[in-house]
Amino acid sequence: MRLAPLAAAVLLSVAACAPSSPSTTPQSQDKVTLSVWGWGPEENFDKMFAAYEKLNPGVDVDARSFTTATEYDTILATGLAGDSGPDLAWLRAGPNLQPLVEAGRLLPLETADVPGLKDYDEDVLRSAKGDKDGKVYGVPFAVQTLQVIYNKKIFADNGLTPPQTWADMIAAAEKLKAEDIVPFAFGGKDDWMLPIVAGIFGTANWGGDAFLDDVRAKKKKFTDPAFVAGIDQLNKLRPYFPDQMTGVSYTDAQILFSSGKAAMFPGGLWELNFFTENAKGIDLGVFTPPAPGGGPGLMPGFTDGSYGISAKTKHKAEALKFASWLASKEYGQLYTDTLRVFSAVPGVAPTDPLLKEVSTTFDKQGATYFMNEFAYGNPSSQAVFSKALQEMLLGRITAEEAAGRLDQSVATWL
């Protein structure tokens, strides 16, 4: 089993990304090799998939990681279109899944073949369905939440605790800045992160799911003052972001936090595993930004990707059996314990204390991450809005104009 570490991966040509031809050694003739494409640290997949190989000695799971997540889409689409692509692969959720579905690249999954699918919550399973045919094309693997991760030692050294009000959060940021500590490690260079951070600080402004339901019903628009105020929080928080923040990349922000130069990192739950490995010695905490108007904030969340099977796999029976295991509580527990992320498999409870804390908060204050619900279109509304937020932070357009661009894009397909 092999998976190239994401952090060390180099940009590869699509041709170079294709799996090598199966070995002709006697051992490989006795085994079926299932190729699985995705991204992530080698040791995590080694641990999880080794459990399946032990149960199924006739199967070797060859997991491979290619470059960064943003380049993966093109690599996967090309691989699935050819004859040397993977047997199974990590798939995007919701709108980003549809191009592969419509191109006929994926095998529809039935509960007769993957029994665990029948136990999934419908809201979770919806992320792995074809938008037009309603068929399931993947086994969802994660539920992500969005929040602020903070360095407990920096907070303690400066007499700070997780803020209970928006004013508390601003006062903490002011105090940290006065001590030459970057309050929030965040940059505007990589536009894909901008809607995520806008959701972390703005969801409580526009009211979470109730607002999104009104937009779907065409009772409200994204130009609504509450939504505009929500994304305008990025402009108001700008004094507490790194200097020249529009030139700060996502990786730069991770390094700022990992090195102890920044106290807080607004991001996804997936960062916990990254910081555990790359910011050793930092005691991590999490909090949800309070509502600017008073009261507790809202923690956005979404179902992440799924494991799908290539329509061209030469090992359909073995791939379906593996997919069935991926939908099991055994795998779900391995996933959440190994990656420090919530498994999408029903009935799996985190054992990690910090994950338990996040789970409790999400149960009480959870909300839908707005962008995942409104990312359709060509170009996608997500791409349009990400670029609009970047231009807003560059001072080229206002928050009202950025919201207007999202509204115009959504109107083309809603």
Side-chain angles (χ1 to χ4, degrees), residues 148 152 163 198 217 223 263 382 391:
V148 175
K152 286 187 174 181
T223 51
Q382 179 172 324
E391 291 194 43

Side-chain angles (χ1 to χ4, degrees), residues 324-335 343 345-349:
S324 184
W325 181 75
L326 294 170
S328 70
K329 288 182 68 174
E330 178 188 1
Y331 175 72
Q333 198 67 57
L334 270 172
Y335 185 90
S343 167
V345 177
V348 174

Side-chain angles (χ1 to χ4, degrees), residues 93 120-127 139-147 268-272 299-306 332 335-336 339-348 350 355 358-359 362-363 366-369 372:
Y120 274 75
D121 183 275
E122 181 56 33
D123 287 339
V124 172
L125 205 56
R126 183 164 55 91
S127 69
V139 178
F141 56 70
V143 174
Q144 302 286 1
T145 58
L146 307 176
Q147 57 277 298
L269 195 66
W270 61 86
E271 303 291 356
L272 293 183
M299 178 182 284
F302 62 94
T303 303
D304 209 339
S306 63
Y335 185 90
T336 194
L339 297 182
R340 214 178 181 189
V341 169
F342 297 132
S343 167
V345 177
V348 174
L355 279 188
V358 175
S359 178
F362 190 59
D363 285 344
T368 301
Y369 172 49
N372 268 33

Side-chain angles (χ1 to χ4, degrees), residues 148-152 155 162 257 263-265 283-287:
V148 175
I149 301 167
Y150 71 96
N151 184 317
K152 286 187 174 181
F155 265 47
F257 185 82
M264 295 175 277
F265 186 99
D283 192 7
L284 303 173
V286 299
F287 71 84

Side-chain angles (χ1 to χ4, degrees), residues 107 154 174 219 222 251 283 312 325 350 369 377 386 401:
L107 187 72
I154 291 179
E174 287 281 4
K219 295 179 181 178
F222 283 109
T251 302
D283 192 7
K312 293 188 174 184
W325 181 75
Y369 172 49
S386 296
E401 290 172 316

Side-chain angles (χ1 to χ4, degrees), residues 77-279:
T78 303
L80 291 175
D83 294 324
S84 56
D87 295 293
L88 299 97
W90 281 21
L91 307 175
R92 300 296 189 183
N96 297 315
L97 169 68
Q98 304 314 313
L100 295 177
V101 171
E102 293 173 12
R105 307 299 186 210
L106 301 171
L107 187 72
L109 303 180
E110 304 289 344
T111 55
D113 297 312
V114 187
L117 290 175
K118 70 179 184 300
D119 299 321
Y120 274 75
D121 183 275
E122 181 56 33
D123 287 339
V124 172
L125 205 56
R126 183 164 55 91
S127 69
K129 286 186 174 183
D131 183 48
K132 295 177 181 177
D133 63 14
K135 295 180 180 179
V136 178
Y137 288 91
V139 178
F141 56 70
V143 174
Q144 302 286 1
T145 58
L146 307 176
Q147 57 277 298
V148 175
I149 301 167
Y150 71 96
N151 184 317
K152 286 187 174 181
K153 185 176 187 303
I154 291 179
F155 265 47
D157 289 347
N158 289 275
L160 302 174
T161 57
Q164 299 301 307
T165 67
W166 189 268
D168 287 345
M169 189 176 74
I170 298 303
E174 287 281 4
K175 187 171 185 178
L176 291 164
K177 187 175 181 181
E179 296 296 327
D180 291 326
I181 299 169
V182 176
F184 295 101
F186 168 63
K189 186 175 181 179
D190 296 311
D191 62 15
W192 66 271
M193 268 297 288
L194 304 187
I196 290 174
V197 179
I200 290 171
F201 292 112
T203 296
N205 271 91
W206 58 75
D209 290 17
F211 174 75
L212 301 186
D213 289 342
D214 283 344
V215 173
R216 289 190 197 93
K218 300 187 178 180
K219 295 179 181 178
K220 289 185 177 180
K221 296 184 176 182
F222 283 109
T223 51
D224 187 276
F227 185 78
V228 172
I231 65 173
D232 196 40
Q233 296 299 348
L234 293 187
N235 288 323
K236 294 180 178 179
L237 290 169
R238 185 165 179 158
Y240 311 111
F241 296 150
D243 292 338
Q244 307 297 321
M245 62 86 61
T246 54
V248 175
S249 71
Y250 170 65
T251 302
D252 294 334
Q254 287 181 313
I255 292 171
L256 274 174
F257 185 82
S258 298
S259 64
K261 295 179 180 178
M264 295 175 277
F265 186 99
L269 195 66
W270 61 86
E271 303 291 356
L272 293 183
N273 190 60
F274 176 84
F275 288 136
T276 298
E277 294 299 319
N278 295 280

